[in-house]
Amino acid sequence: MSSRTPRVAIIGAGFSGLCLAIRLRETGAGEPTILEKAERLGGTWRENSYPGAACDLMSFAYCYSFEQKTDWSRKWSPQAEILDYMDHCAEKYGILPHVRFGTEVLGARFDPERGVWQLRTRCDGGEETLEAEVLVSGVGQLHRPVPPGFPGLESFAGVQFHSASWRHDVPLAGKRVGVVGTGASAIQLVPEIARESGRLEVFQRTPSWIIARGDRDYSEAEKRRFTRHAWLAKIYRWFIWARQELLFFPVMLGNRGLSKRLEQMARENMEAHIADPELRATLTPDYPIGGKRVLIHDDYYPALARENVELVASPIVRADVAGLVTEDGRHHELDVIVLATGFDTTRFLAPMRIEGREGRILPEEWKDGAEAYLGLAVAGFPNFFMMYGPNTNLGHNSIIFMIECQADYIVECVRRIGRRGLRYLDLDPEVQEAFNRKLQRDLARTAWARTPKSWYKDASGKITNNWPGTTIAYWWRTRRPRFGDYREVR
Ligand SMILES: Cc1cc2nc3c(=O)[nH]c(=O)nc-3n(C[C@H](O)[C@H](O)[C@H](O)COP(=O)(O)OP(=O)(O)OC[C@H]3O[C@@H](n4cnc5c(N)ncnc54)[C@H](O)[C@@H]3O)c2cc1C
């Protein structure tokens, strides 16, 4: 085949899909089409509009490095502002004409003879097919809400919804509200709805380590300064990034001194607001700090100390028509149940069916736990790449950093396919195997491995979500593809 510009089908218009489309357009390496099942872009930041939703990494580091926003309203900016930022990027870089909204990818099949992916999509109630030389998944790790593990919710007569599908039409003022879960979303939304609700019960299965974040508005003078001196905003960004790398990453590895210091900060945060020793004990995790996501918030503990709020630590056994029943035999009558129960994180591409060479199917190939090479490629699935794929989540720094590394790597692969007129690039299975052997050895040394359950692990206990190194190590590994890792077929 002669040199050409490959068509690149990208699934999902979140930070990943948007970033890759921007890079492809800028470099001219490939012709992007983003297929997005929803009617607008944003991914995580479109779906999670619950009260108090915000990033938990400081905003100056939670945006693209090539489009540094300088006038963030707060240190940890709210969801709506992040979504506006994404709209701005799509507009500025001319991405919207390349997005097909309302188009869900059901599956894709690779034709090795032609070097083409055939995609099956659902849009306007019907099915369509589409072809592209390169297929990229940008479906994220946190987009399929997971229902709680107890039975009976269908019989509940009140209103129930997941935190990622917030019912803004349901007023909570004066209502009896139950929040199921005490993870990252719950600690952001509880303080907001505690002010409104008549009575709020927070159902905790596992407590989290929570440190104070010291959030505040940026002053107009600060915003002006960052905008006038863009270099200052860049320095600030890299300062945040370096602090996360140097102070937080070692905690994930179980560094004794830093873990002790962070744990002390979390205890002080709790003790500043919770006086009752029994409640303090209930709120103290029994796993090492860093074993699950370390949460940051200023208002969660003060909210729990409010008169109208109760923390319920007895496990929920079932829901019924009037509310929730806990193991201690209590019946909790509720008008609204908010499921802050997180996401189905370990099945990655599900429910899509991606069919590679020789009848290999994802996610069936991953029945023993998802794995990839650098989270980007899987042997037997030529010209297929993932962004924010297996083992690329972080416990300590910005996912956008990882996404940018992945976009640049994929652009180089697309360029190679185009320039050399390749039918396909297919990862060497031995490279994938060796990479994952080493990866799992590295993961075994982390605080995540010493924590029995978390969203980083699948049911068998394999850590399928997290990257065990620094972000700089990931950048180093991905800064340029080693094409010797791939079989090139013309
Ligand atoms: C509440 C919350 C807060 C977070 N805060 C932070 C933070 O502070 N810092 C941080 O680094 N990370 C954070 N994250 C992680 C966050 O998910 C990533 O930072 C980033 O937004 C992931 O972007 P993405 O494009 O890979 O995936 P997503 O944002 O999940 O986007 C995936 C897109 O794919 C679409 N899609 C899925 N399946 C299909 C299909 N079959 N066909 C078509 N379209 C499909 C979805 O509709 C969605 O638009 C947070 C996550 C959550 C849930």
Side-chain angles (χ1 to χ4, degrees), residues 11-12 14-16 35-37 43-44 46 55-57 62 103 105 138-140 399:
I11 313 169
F15 265 115
S16 292
L35 305 158
E36 169 55 59
K37 67 180 173 187
T44 290
R46 176 193 67 236
C55 49
D56 54 16
L57 183 86
Y62 194 64
T103 305
V105 177
V139 301
I399 300 302

mmCIF file with all atom_site columns, all heavy atoms in Angstrom, residues 11-12 14-16 35-37 43-44 46 55-57 62 103 105 138-140 399, ligand 1:
data_model
loop_
_atom_site.group_PDB
_atom_site.id
_atom_site.type_symbol
_atom_site.label_atom_id
_atom_site.label_alt_id
_atom_site.label_comp_id
_atom_site.label_asym_id
_atom_site.label_entity_id
_atom_site.label_seq_id
_atom_site.pdbx_PDB_ins_code
_atom_site.Cartn_x
_atom_site.Cartn_y
_atom_site.Cartn_z
_atom_site.occupancy
_atom_site.B_iso_or_equiv
_atom_site.pdbx_formal_charge
_atom_site.auth_seq_id
_atom_site.auth_comp_id
_atom_site.auth_asym_id
_atom_site.auth_atom_id
_atom_site.pdbx_PDB_model_num
ATOM   1   N N   . ILE A 1 11  ? -13.685 6.324  20.049 1.00 0.00 ? 11  ILE A N   1
ATOM   2   C CA  . ILE A 1 11  ? -14.936 6.093  20.790 1.00 0.00 ? 11  ILE A CA  1
ATOM   3   C C   . ILE A 1 11  ? -14.915 6.935  22.060 1.00 0.00 ? 11  ILE A C   1
ATOM   4   O O   . ILE A 1 11  ? -14.110 6.705  22.956 1.00 0.00 ? 11  ILE A O   1
ATOM   5   C CB  . ILE A 1 11  ? -15.118 4.602  21.149 1.00 0.00 ? 11  ILE A CB  1
ATOM   6   C CG1 . ILE A 1 11  ? -14.838 3.713  19.936 1.00 0.00 ? 11  ILE A CG1 1
ATOM   7   C CG2 . ILE A 1 11  ? -16.508 4.350  21.721 1.00 0.00 ? 11  ILE A CG2 1
ATOM   8   C CD1 . ILE A 1 11  ? -14.732 2.230  20.267 1.00 0.00 ? 11  ILE A CD1 1
ATOM   9   N N   . GLY A 1 12  ? -15.811 7.927  22.135 1.00 0.00 ? 12  GLY A N   1
ATOM   10  C CA  . GLY A 1 12  ? -15.935 8.729  23.352 1.00 0.00 ? 12  GLY A CA  1
ATOM   11  C C   . GLY A 1 12  ? -15.378 10.131 23.209 1.00 0.00 ? 12  GLY A C   1
ATOM   12  O O   . GLY A 1 12  ? -14.269 10.318 22.706 1.00 0.00 ? 12  GLY A O   1
ATOM   13  N N   . GLY A 1 14  ? -14.692 12.387 25.761 1.00 0.00 ? 14  GLY A N   1
ATOM   14  C CA  . GLY A 1 14  ? -14.245 12.934 27.047 1.00 0.00 ? 14  GLY A CA  1
ATOM   15  C C   . GLY A 1 14  ? -12.876 13.571 26.843 1.00 0.00 ? 14  GLY A C   1
ATOM   16  O O   . GLY A 1 14  ? -12.483 13.867 25.709 1.00 0.00 ? 14  GLY A O   1
ATOM   17  N N   . PHE A 1 15  ? -12.140 13.756 27.927 1.00 0.00 ? 15  PHE A N   1
ATOM   18  C CA  . PHE A 1 15  ? -10.808 14.360 27.815 1.00 0.00 ? 15  PHE A CA  1
ATOM   19  C C   . PHE A 1 15  ? -9.922  13.552 26.860 1.00 0.00 ? 15  PHE A C   1
ATOM   20  O O   . PHE A 1 15  ? -9.110  14.122 26.124 1.00 0.00 ? 15  PHE A O   1
ATOM   21  C CB  . PHE A 1 15  ? -10.143 14.445 29.196 1.00 0.00 ? 15  PHE A CB  1
ATOM   22  C CG  . PHE A 1 15  ? -10.346 15.774 29.877 1.00 0.00 ? 15  PHE A CG  1
ATOM   23  C CD1 . PHE A 1 15  ? -11.086 15.876 31.055 1.00 0.00 ? 15  PHE A CD1 1
ATOM   24  C CD2 . PHE A 1 15  ? -9.800  16.928 29.344 1.00 0.00 ? 15  PHE A CD2 1
ATOM   25  C CE1 . PHE A 1 15  ? -11.271 17.095 31.690 1.00 0.00 ? 15  PHE A CE1 1
ATOM   26  C CE2 . PHE A 1 15  ? -9.973  18.167 29.965 1.00 0.00 ? 15  PHE A CE2 1
ATOM   27  C CZ  . PHE A 1 15  ? -10.707 18.251 31.143 1.00 0.00 ? 15  PHE A CZ  1
ATOM   28  N N   . SER A 1 16  ? -10.079 12.200 26.865 1.00 0.00 ? 16  SER A N   1
ATOM   29  C CA  . SER A 1 16  ? -9.217  11.360 26.015 1.00 0.00 ? 16  SER A CA  1
ATOM   30  C C   . SER A 1 16  ? -9.507  11.590 24.532 1.00 0.00 ? 16  SER A C   1
ATOM   31  O O   . SER A 1 16  ? -8.603  11.941 23.759 1.00 0.00 ? 16  SER A O   1
ATOM   32  C CB  . SER A 1 16  ? -9.438  9.869  26.322 1.00 0.00 ? 16  SER A CB  1
ATOM   33  O OG  . SER A 1 16  ? -8.983  9.546  27.596 1.00 0.00 ? 16  SER A OG  1
ATOM   34  N N   . LEU A 1 35  ? -16.941 9.147  17.936 1.00 0.00 ? 35  LEU A N   1
ATOM   35  C CA  . LEU A 1 35  ? -18.293 8.603  18.057 1.00 0.00 ? 35  LEU A CA  1
ATOM   36  C C   . LEU A 1 35  ? -18.674 8.686  19.524 1.00 0.00 ? 35  LEU A C   1
ATOM   37  O O   . LEU A 1 35  ? -18.005 8.078  20.380 1.00 0.00 ? 35  LEU A O   1
ATOM   38  C CB  . LEU A 1 35  ? -18.311 7.157  17.563 1.00 0.00 ? 35  LEU A CB  1
ATOM   39  C CG  . LEU A 1 35  ? -17.753 7.041  16.138 1.00 0.00 ? 35  LEU A CG  1
ATOM   40  C CD1 . LEU A 1 35  ? -17.269 5.654  15.847 1.00 0.00 ? 35  LEU A CD1 1
ATOM   41  C CD2 . LEU A 1 35  ? -18.797 7.493  15.127 1.00 0.00 ? 35  LEU A CD2 1
ATOM   42  N N   . GLU A 1 36  ? -19.685 9.454  19.831 1.00 0.00 ? 36  GLU A N   1
ATOM   43  C CA  . GLU A 1 36  ? -20.056 9.698  21.229 1.00 0.00 ? 36  GLU A CA  1
ATOM   44  C C   . GLU A 1 36  ? -21.513 9.336  21.422 1.00 0.00 ? 36  GLU A C   1
ATOM   45  O O   . GLU A 1 36  ? -22.387 9.843  20.725 1.00 0.00 ? 36  GLU A O   1
ATOM   46  C CB  . GLU A 1 36  ? -19.797 11.176 21.586 1.00 0.00 ? 36  GLU A CB  1
ATOM   47  C CG  . GLU A 1 36  ? -20.377 11.633 22.907 1.00 0.00 ? 36  GLU A CG  1
ATOM   48  C CD  . GLU A 1 36  ? -19.953 10.789 24.124 1.00 0.00 ? 36  GLU A CD  1
ATOM   49  O OE1 . GLU A 1 36  ? -18.761 10.692 24.391 1.00 0.00 ? 36  GLU A OE1 1
ATOM   50  O OE2 . GLU A 1 36  ? -20.863 10.224 24.781 1.00 0.00 ? 36  GLU A OE2 1
ATOM   51  N N   . LYS A 1 37  ? -21.773 8.467  22.401 1.00 0.00 ? 37  LYS A N   1
ATOM   52  C CA  . LYS A 1 37  ? -23.154 8.002  22.579 1.00 0.00 ? 37  LYS A CA  1
ATOM   53  C C   . LYS A 1 37  ? -24.078 9.083  23.131 1.00 0.00 ? 37  LYS A C   1
ATOM   54  O O   . LYS A 1 37  ? -25.275 9.054  22.887 1.00 0.00 ? 37  LYS A O   1
ATOM   55  C CB  . LYS A 1 37  ? -23.189 6.737  23.433 1.00 0.00 ? 37  LYS A CB  1
ATOM   56  C CG  . LYS A 1 37  ? -22.787 6.893  24.872 1.00 0.00 ? 37  LYS A CG  1
ATOM   57  C CD  . LYS A 1 37  ? -22.877 5.542  25.593 1.00 0.00 ? 37  LYS A CD  1
ATOM   58  C CE  . LYS A 1 37  ? -22.303 5.651  26.992 1.00 0.00 ? 37  LYS A CE  1
ATOM   59  N NZ  . LYS A 1 37  ? -22.208 4.387  27.679 1.00 0.00 ? 37  LYS A NZ  1
ATOM   60  N N   . GLY A 1 43  ? -17.837 13.583 28.808 1.00 0.00 ? 43  GLY A N   1
ATOM   61  C CA  . GLY A 1 43  ? -17.591 12.341 29.551 1.00 0.00 ? 43  GLY A CA  1
ATOM   62  C C   . GLY A 1 43  ? -17.892 12.510 31.038 1.00 0.00 ? 43  GLY A C   1
ATOM   63  O O   . GLY A 1 43  ? -18.985 12.939 31.421 1.00 0.00 ? 43  GLY A O   1
ATOM   64  N N   . THR A 1 44  ? -16.907 12.198 31.859 1.00 0.00 ? 44  THR A N   1
ATOM   65  C CA  . THR A 1 44  ? -17.019 12.316 33.318 1.00 0.00 ? 44  THR A CA  1
ATOM   66  C C   . THR A 1 44  ? -17.681 13.631 33.728 1.00 0.00 ? 44  THR A C   1
ATOM   67  O O   . THR A 1 44  ? -18.522 13.666 34.623 1.00 0.00 ? 44  THR A O   1
ATOM   68  C CB  . THR A 1 44  ? -15.590 12.280 33.931 1.00 0.00 ? 44  THR A CB  1
ATOM   69  O OG1 . THR A 1 44  ? -15.068 10.967 33.782 1.00 0.00 ? 44  THR A OG1 1
ATOM   70  C CG2 . THR A 1 44  ? -15.587 12.652 35.399 1.00 0.00 ? 44  THR A CG2 1
ATOM   71  N N   . ARG A 1 46  ? -19.583 15.679 32.031 1.00 0.00 ? 46  ARG A N   1
ATOM   72  C CA  . ARG A 1 46  ? -20.971 15.840 31.594 1.00 0.00 ? 46  ARG A CA  1
ATOM   73  C C   . ARG A 1 46  ? -21.871 15.066 32.549 1.00 0.00 ? 46  ARG A C   1
ATOM   74  O O   . ARG A 1 46  ? -22.926 15.543 32.957 1.00 0.00 ? 46  ARG A O   1
ATOM   75  C CB  . ARG A 1 46  ? -21.102 15.277 30.174 1.00 0.00 ? 46  ARG A CB  1
ATOM   76  C CG  . ARG A 1 46  ? -22.506 15.288 29.608 1.00 0.00 ? 46  ARG A CG  1
ATOM   77  C CD  . ARG A 1 46  ? -22.592 14.443 28.341 1.00 0.00 ? 46  ARG A CD  1
ATOM   78  N NE  . ARG A 1 46  ? -22.398 13.033 28.623 1.00 0.00 ? 46  ARG A NE  1
ATOM   79  C CZ  . ARG A 1 46  ? -21.480 12.259 28.062 1.00 0.00 ? 46  ARG A CZ  1
ATOM   80  N NH1 . ARG A 1 46  ? -20.650 12.737 27.158 1.00 0.00 ? 46  ARG A NH1 1
ATOM   81  N NH2 . ARG A 1 46  ? -21.361 10.980 28.392 1.00 0.00 ? 46  ARG A NH2 1
ATOM   82  N N   . CYS A 1 55  ? -13.087 18.626 40.593 1.00 0.00 ? 55  CYS A N   1
ATOM   83  C CA  . CYS A 1 55  ? -11.911 17.771 40.455 1.00 0.00 ? 55  CYS A CA  1
ATOM   84  C C   . CYS A 1 55  ? -11.253 17.620 41.824 1.00 0.00 ? 55  CYS A C   1
ATOM   85  O O   . CYS A 1 55  ? -11.448 18.462 42.707 1.00 0.00 ? 55  CYS A O   1
ATOM   86  C CB  . CYS A 1 55  ? -10.930 18.363 39.442 1.00 0.00 ? 55  CYS A CB  1
ATOM   87  S SG  . CYS A 1 55  ? -10.561 20.088 39.709 1.00 0.00 ? 55  CYS A SG  1
ATOM   88  N N   . ASP A 1 56  ? -10.478 16.542 41.994 1.00 0.00 ? 56  ASP A N   1
ATOM   89  C CA  . ASP A 1 56  ? -9.768  16.423 43.264 1.00 0.00 ? 56  ASP A CA  1
ATOM   90  C C   . ASP A 1 56  ? -8.253  16.513 43.075 1.00 0.00 ? 56  ASP A C   1
ATOM   91  O O   . ASP A 1 56  ? -7.481  16.115 43.924 1.00 0.00 ? 56  ASP A O   1
ATOM   92  C CB  . ASP A 1 56  ? -10.196 15.188 44.065 1.00 0.00 ? 56  ASP A CB  1
ATOM   93  C CG  . ASP A 1 56  ? -10.082 13.904 43.268 1.00 0.00 ? 56  ASP A CG  1
ATOM   94  O OD1 . ASP A 1 56  ? -9.404  13.924 42.225 1.00 0.00 ? 56  ASP A OD1 1
ATOM   95  O OD2 . ASP A 1 56  ? -10.675 12.902 43.700 1.00 0.00 ? 56  ASP A OD2 1
ATOM   96  N N   . LEU A 1 57  ? -7.882  17.046 41.921 1.00 0.00 ? 57  LEU A N   1
ATOM   97  C CA  . LEU A 1 57  ? -6.496  17.465 41.724 1.00 0.00 ? 57  LEU A CA  1
ATOM   98  C C   . LEU A 1 57  ? -6.610  18.952 41.363 1.00 0.00 ? 57  LEU A C   1
ATOM   99  O O   . LEU A 1 57  ? -7.524  19.329 40.630 1.00 0.00 ? 57  LEU A O   1
ATOM   100 C CB  . LEU A 1 57  ? -5.854  16.717 40.553 1.00 0.00 ? 57  LEU A CB  1
ATOM   101 C CG  . LEU A 1 57  ? -4.401  17.104 40.390 1.00 0.00 ? 57  LEU A CG  1
ATOM   102 C CD1 . LEU A 1 57  ? -3.523  16.251 41.297 1.00 0.00 ? 57  LEU A CD1 1
ATOM   103 C CD2 . LEU A 1 57  ? -3.938  16.968 38.959 1.00 0.00 ? 57  LEU A CD2 1
ATOM   104 N N   . TYR A 1 62  ? -5.219  20.163 36.178 1.00 0.00 ? 62  TYR A N   1
ATOM   105 C CA  . TYR A 1 62  ? -6.258  19.309 35.585 1.00 0.00 ? 62  TYR A CA  1
ATOM   106 C C   . TYR A 1 62  ? -6.831  19.988 34.337 1.00 0.00 ? 62  TYR A C   1
ATOM   107 O O   . TYR A 1 62  ? -8.000  20.350 34.261 1.00 0.00 ? 62  TYR A O   1
ATOM   108 C CB  . TYR A 1 62  ? -7.355  18.980 36.610 1.00 0.00 ? 62  TYR A CB  1
ATOM   109 C CG  . TYR A 1 62  ? -8.252  17.848 36.136 1.00 0.00 ? 62  TYR A CG  1
ATOM   110 C CD1 . TYR A 1 62  ? -7.742  16.565 35.946 1.00 0.00 ? 62  TYR A CD1 1
ATOM   111 C CD2 . TYR A 1 62  ? -9.584  18.063 35.828 1.00 0.00 ? 62  TYR A CD2 1
ATOM   112 C CE1 . TYR A 1 62  ? -8.526  15.537 35.469 1.00 0.00 ? 62  TYR A CE1 1
ATOM   113 C CE2 . TYR A 1 62  ? -10.388 17.030 35.356 1.00 0.00 ? 62  TYR A CE2 1
ATOM   114 C CZ  . TYR A 1 62  ? -9.847  15.775 35.174 1.00 0.00 ? 62  TYR A CZ  1
ATOM   115 O OH  . TYR A 1 62  ? -10.630 14.753 34.690 1.00 0.00 ? 62  TYR A OH  1
ATOM   116 N N   . THR A 1 103 ? -24.234 8.585  18.998 1.00 0.00 ? 103 THR A N   1
ATOM   117 C CA  . THR A 1 103 ? -23.798 7.397  18.262 1.00 0.00 ? 103 THR A CA  1
ATOM   118 C C   . THR A 1 103 ? -23.042 6.468  19.205 1.00 0.00 ? 103 THR A C   1
ATOM   119 O O   . THR A 1 103 ? -21.919 6.770  19.612 1.00 0.00 ? 103 THR A O   1
ATOM   120 C CB  . THR A 1 103 ? -22.877 7.813  17.077 1.00 0.00 ? 103 THR A CB  1
ATOM   121 O OG1 . THR A 1 103 ? -23.589 8.762  16.284 1.00 0.00 ? 103 THR A OG1 1
ATOM   122 C CG2 . THR A 1 103 ? -22.478 6.625  16.235 1.00 0.00 ? 103 THR A CG2 1
ATOM   123 N N   . VAL A 1 105 ? -21.105 3.045  19.982 1.00 0.00 ? 105 VAL A N   1
ATOM   124 C CA  . VAL A 1 105 ? -20.410 1.945  19.319 1.00 0.00 ? 105 VAL A CA  1
ATOM   125 C C   . VAL A 1 105 ? -20.789 0.650  20.042 1.00 0.00 ? 105 VAL A C   1
ATOM   126 O O   . VAL A 1 105 ? -20.594 0.510  21.248 1.00 0.00 ? 105 VAL A O   1
ATOM   127 C CB  . VAL A 1 105 ? -18.877 2.154  19.339 1.00 0.00 ? 105 VAL A CB  1
ATOM   128 C CG1 . VAL A 1 105 ? -18.163 0.967  18.717 1.00 0.00 ? 105 VAL A CG1 1
ATOM   129 C CG2 . VAL A 1 105 ? -18.520 3.443  18.614 1.00 0.00 ? 105 VAL A CG2 1
ATOM   130 N N   . GLY A 1 138 ? -11.766 5.605  23.813 1.00 0.00 ? 138 GLY A N   1
ATOM   131 C CA  . GLY A 1 138 ? -11.591 6.674  24.809 1.00 0.00 ? 138 GLY A CA  1
ATOM   132 C C   . GLY A 1 138 ? -12.783 6.646  25.753 1.00 0.00 ? 138 GLY A C   1
ATOM   133 O O   . GLY A 1 138 ? -13.342 7.684  26.068 1.00 0.00 ? 138 GLY A O   1
ATOM   134 N N   . VAL A 1 139 ? -13.176 5.408  26.168 1.00 0.00 ? 139 VAL A N   1
ATOM   135 C CA  . VAL A 1 139 ? -14.412 5.286  26.954 1.00 0.00 ? 139 VAL A CA  1
ATOM   136 C C   . VAL A 1 139 ? -14.187 5.470  28.451 1.00 0.00 ? 139 VAL A C   1
ATOM   137 O O   . VAL A 1 139 ? -15.135 5.430  29.221 1.00 0.00 ? 139 VAL A O   1
ATOM   138 C CB  . VAL A 1 139 ? -15.150 3.941  26.698 1.00 0.00 ? 139 VAL A CB  1
ATOM   139 C CG1 . VAL A 1 139 ? -15.525 3.790  25.230 1.00 0.00 ? 139 VAL A CG1 1
ATOM   140 C CG2 . VAL A 1 139 ? -14.320 2.747  27.158 1.00 0.00 ? 139 VAL A CG2 1
ATOM   141 N N   . GLY A 1 140 ? -12.951 5.669  28.865 1.00 0.00 ? 140 GLY A N   1
ATOM   142 C CA  . GLY A 1 140 ? -12.691 5.977  30.275 1.00 0.00 ? 140 GLY A CA  1
ATOM   143 C C   . GLY A 1 140 ? -12.816 4.756  31.174 1.00 0.00 ? 140 GLY A C   1
ATOM   144 O O   . GLY A 1 140 ? -13.213 3.667  30.737 1.00 0.00 ? 140 GLY A O   1
ATOM   145 N N   . ILE A 1 399 ? -4.831  12.525 35.552 1.00 0.00 ? 399 ILE A N   1
ATOM   146 C CA  . ILE A 1 399 ? -5.051  11.578 34.451 1.00 0.00 ? 399 ILE A CA  1
ATOM   147 C C   . ILE A 1 399 ? -4.794  12.276 33.114 1.00 0.00 ? 399 ILE A C   1
ATOM   148 O O   . ILE A 1 399 ? -4.428  11.637 32.127 1.00 0.00 ? 399 ILE A O   1
ATOM   149 C CB  . ILE A 1 399 ? -6.502  11.031 34.496 1.00 0.00 ? 399 ILE A CB  1
ATOM   150 C CG1 . ILE A 1 399 ? -6.773  10.312 35.829 1.00 0.00 ? 399 ILE A CG1 1
ATOM   151 C CG2 . ILE A 1 399 ? -6.802  10.101 33.327 1.00 0.00 ? 399 ILE A CG2 1
ATOM   152 C CD1 . ILE A 1 399 ? -5.852  9.168  36.139 1.00 0.00 ? 399 ILE A CD1 1
HETATM 153 C C1  . LIG B 2 .   ? -16.527 12.370 39.824 1.00 0.00 ? 1   LIG B C1  1
HETATM 154 C C2  . LIG B 2 .   ? -15.166 12.158 39.217 1.00 0.00 ? 1   LIG B C2  1
HETATM 155 C C3  . LIG B 2 .   ? -14.133 13.029 39.524 1.00 0.00 ? 1   LIG B C3  1
HETATM 156 C C4  . LIG B 2 .   ? -12.880 12.841 38.956 1.00 0.00 ? 1   LIG B C4  1
HETATM 157 N N1  . LIG B 2 .   ? -11.880 13.707 39.300 1.00 0.00 ? 1   LIG B N1  1
HETATM 158 C C5  . LIG B 2 .   ? -10.655 13.553 38.757 1.00 0.00 ? 1   LIG B C5  1
HETATM 159 C C6  . LIG B 2 .   ? -9.576  14.443 39.100 1.00 0.00 ? 1   LIG B C6  1
HETATM 160 O O1  . LIG B 2 .   ? -9.730  15.350 39.885 1.00 0.00 ? 1   LIG B O1  1
HETATM 161 N N2  . LIG B 2 .   ? -8.375  14.223 38.541 1.00 0.00 ? 1   LIG B N2  1
HETATM 162 C C7  . LIG B 2 .   ? -8.160  13.212 37.664 1.00 0.00 ? 1   LIG B C7  1
HETATM 163 O O2  . LIG B 2 .   ? -7.043  13.074 37.182 1.00 0.00 ? 1   LIG B O2  1
HETATM 164 N N3  . LIG B 2 .   ? -9.163  12.377 37.293 1.00 0.00 ? 1   LIG B N3  1
HETATM 165 C C8  . LIG B 2 .   ? -10.389 12.506 37.832 1.00 0.00 ? 1   LIG B C8  1
HETATM 166 N N4  . LIG B 2 .   ? -11.394 11.645 37.485 1.00 0.00 ? 1   LIG B N4  1
HETATM 167 C C9  . LIG B 2 .   ? -11.141 10.605 36.459 1.00 0.00 ? 1   LIG B C9  1
HETATM 168 C C10 . LIG B 2 .   ? -11.696 11.070 35.095 1.00 0.00 ? 1   LIG B C10 1
HETATM 169 O O3  . LIG B 2 .   ? -12.568 10.068 34.655 1.00 0.00 ? 1   LIG B O3  1
HETATM 170 C C11 . LIG B 2 .   ? -10.547 11.314 34.118 1.00 0.00 ? 1   LIG B C11 1
HETATM 171 O O4  . LIG B 2 .   ? -9.724  12.333 34.625 1.00 0.00 ? 1   LIG B O4  1
HETATM 172 C C12 . LIG B 2 .   ? -10.986 11.749 32.711 1.00 0.00 ? 1   LIG B C12 1
HETATM 173 O O5  . LIG B 2 .   ? -12.081 12.615 32.745 1.00 0.00 ? 1   LIG B O5  1
HETATM 174 C C13 . LIG B 2 .   ? -11.268 10.554 31.835 1.00 0.00 ? 1   LIG B C13 1
HETATM 175 O O6  . LIG B 2 .   ? -11.586 10.983 30.536 1.00 0.00 ? 1   LIG B O6  1
HETATM 176 P P1  . LIG B 2 .   ? -11.923 9.940  29.386 1.00 0.00 ? 1   LIG B P1  1
HETATM 177 O O7  . LIG B 2 .   ? -12.192 10.733 28.178 1.00 0.00 ? 1   LIG B O7  1
HETATM 178 O O8  . LIG B 2 .   ? -10.866 8.911  29.325 1.00 0.00 ? 1   LIG B O8  1
HETATM 179 O O9  . LIG B 2 .   ? -13.222 9.167  29.895 1.00 0.00 ? 1   LIG B O9  1
HETATM 180 P P2  . LIG B 2 .   ? -14.672 9.746  30.180 1.00 0.00 ? 1   LIG B P2  1
HETATM 181 O O10 . LIG B 2 .   ? -14.622 11.123 30.659 1.00 0.00 ? 1   LIG B O10 1
HETATM 182 O O11 . LIG B 2 .   ? -15.353 8.720  31.034 1.00 0.00 ? 1   LIG B O11 1
HETATM 183 O O12 . LIG B 2 .   ? -15.371 9.784  28.755 1.00 0.00 ? 1   LIG B O12 1
HETATM 184 C C14 . LIG B 2 .   ? -15.763 8.605  28.093 1.00 0.00 ? 1   LIG B C14 1
HETATM 185 C C15 . LIG B 2 .   ? -16.769 8.976  27.019 1.00 0.00 ? 1   LIG B C15 1
HETATM 186 O O13 . LIG B 2 .   ? -17.002 7.813  26.227 1.00 0.00 ? 1   LIG B O13 1
HETATM 187 C C16 . LIG B 2 .   ? -18.395 7.738  25.914 1.00 0.00 ? 1   LIG B C16 1
HETATM 188 N N5  . LIG B 2 .   ? -18.694 6.345  25.615 1.00 0.00 ? 1   LIG B N5  1
HETATM 189 C C17 . LIG B 2 .   ? -18.570 5.276  26.434 1.00 0.00 ? 1   LIG B C17 1
HETATM 190 N N6  . LIG B 2 .   ? -18.924 4.140  25.784 1.00 0.00 ? 1   LIG B N6  1
HETATM 191 C C18 . LIG B 2 .   ? -19.261 4.496  24.519 1.00 0.00 ? 1   LIG B C18 1
HETATM 192 C C19 . LIG B 2 .   ? -19.701 3.770  23.383 1.00 0.00 ? 1   LIG B C19 1
HETATM 193 N N7  . LIG B 2 .   ? -19.834 2.443  23.410 1.00 0.00 ? 1   LIG B N7  1
HETATM 194 N N8  . LIG B 2 .   ? -19.961 4.450  22.252 1.00 0.00 ? 1   LIG B N8  1
HETATM 195 C C20 . LIG B 2 .   ? -19.825 5.802  22.202 1.00 0.00 ? 1   LIG B C20 1
HETATM 196 N N9  . LIG B 2 .   ? -19.417 6.544  23.263 1.00 0.00 ? 1   LIG B N9  1
HETATM 197 C C21 . LIG B 2 .   ? -19.126 5.894  24.408 1.00 0.00 ? 1   LIG B C21 1
HETATM 198 C C22 . LIG B 2 .   ? -19.060 8.247  27.184 1.00 0.00 ? 1   LIG B C22 1
HETATM 199 O O14 . LIG B 2 .   ? -20.372 8.688  26.939 1.00 0.00 ? 1   LIG B O14 1
HETATM 200 C C23 . LIG B 2 .   ? -18.112 9.391  27.583 1.00 0.00 ? 1   LIG B C23 1
HETATM 201 O O15 . LIG B 2 .   ? -18.502 10.613 27.010 1.00 0.00 ? 1   LIG B O15 1
HETATM 202 C C24 . LIG B 2 .   ? -12.659 11.782 38.050 1.00 0.00 ? 1   LIG B C24 1
HETATM 203 C C25 . LIG B 2 .   ? -13.690 10.894 37.763 1.00 0.00 ? 1   LIG B C25 1
HETATM 204 C C26 . LIG B 2 .   ? -14.933 11.072 38.346 1.00 0.00 ? 1   LIG B C26 1
HETATM 205 C C27 . LIG B 2 .   ? -16.037 10.102 38.013 1.00 0.00 ? 1   LIG B C27 1
#
